[in-house]
Amino acid sequence: MNTGMASLTQVRYKVQTSTFRRVHPRNQGLLKSGKLFQHPGSTFPSIHINLSCICCTKLTPWESSSVTFAPTDNQSDKYLPESANIFETLESSKTADSSTANAEGVIETRSQPGQELQFFKWPLWLLGPSVLLATGMVPTLWLPISSIFLGPNIASLLSLIGLDCLFNLGATLFLLMADACSRPKYPTDECKSKAPFSYQFWNVVATLTGFIIPLLLMIGSQKGFLQPQLTFIPFAVLLGPYLLLLSVQFLTEMLTWYWQSPVWLVTPVIYESYRVLQLMRGLKLGVELSAPAWMMHTIRGLVCWWVLILGLQLMRVAWFAGLTAQARKQRLSSDTSSANGD
């Protein structure tokens, strides 16, 4: 075998001595032809190499037979998806994998915290109305007025304001609990409920009407247009807490409209229900203070006004419930029709 391989390769070397100074080949064909570069006065060994074709099928020891550089017929025709750029193909596959992983992560995060928050919401359905009852109705109905009202003085005014502030604290806690219960099951879902402009407009008109009328009557009494006159302290005892709580209600409604909280519909119902009891308390205090007839008629007129506004608010609640049911029915019908069309 070795003699056969040696016979296949025949290399003949012929060495000559020549003098070499500097060679500037102008014709690249000389390099291809293998001719000798000779220049007078330069000596350089010239080499004539005769190469013959070598045909060998035996692999050398350092070449591995297990390495395959070309795909076989059994392999897939497409190693990577077709694309104008291989980097785009790799990037798209990486993006698809990352989007799948992100979708799975979102599903896991949405399924776990929602159930935990839903579990904590159940006690709020009973705790919220209990807080509202304890801070609003119980002190007004069971606490005797004689223990609070000591006469037309500053102490009685502060006692009545403190009683109404206690209710305002309970109403705020109730609204926060109602807002938490009205939120969707999953925290990632947005829940924004915007009150209609007409609703906001008429609520502002009702609030300003209930606020301006007592102030005009007080100014008329101070100017002497209404007889007999009523001094400031008795007037503040009768209608001071009413005006203060009305201002708090207006501020609370503005905040619910700005935050687009779902409790914007029940906020006036809570405050107006308590306002009727507040004005009824004012009628009792007016009898003890021997208030003038025009003042008693004013308080009765305010009671009738807020009962009327409360009725309108309850009708709006029924209207909103009907509108929500209609929208839900339309959504279900559209989903059913799209499912049948598919």
Side-chain angles (χ1 to χ4, degrees), residues 65 92 250:
S65 61
S92 62
F250 183 73

Side-chain angles (χ1 to χ4, degrees), residues 196-265:
F197 176 77
S198 60
Y199 175 86
Q200 299 179 10
F201 175 77
W202 291 113
N203 270 29
V204 171
V205 170
T207 303
L208 292 179
T209 302
F211 192 86
I212 292 175
I213 291 177
L215 292 180
L216 292 178
L217 293 176
M218 184 187 68
I219 295 175
S221 176
Q222 296 295 327
K223 297 295 183 178
F225 296 106
L226 297 175
Q227 295 296 332
Q229 292 184 357
L230 187 65
T231 58
F232 178 76
I233 293 299
F235 180 87
V237 170
L238 294 176
L239 293 180
Y242 159 81
L243 295 174
L244 180 61
L245 194 61
L246 185 60
S247 303
V248 173
Q249 176 192 347
F250 183 73
L251 178 61
T252 305
E253 287 187 277
M254 294 294 290
L255 291 177
T256 56
W257 298 340
Y258 177 75
W259 291 329
Q260 297 184 3
S261 175
V263 299
W264 59 267
L265 196 59

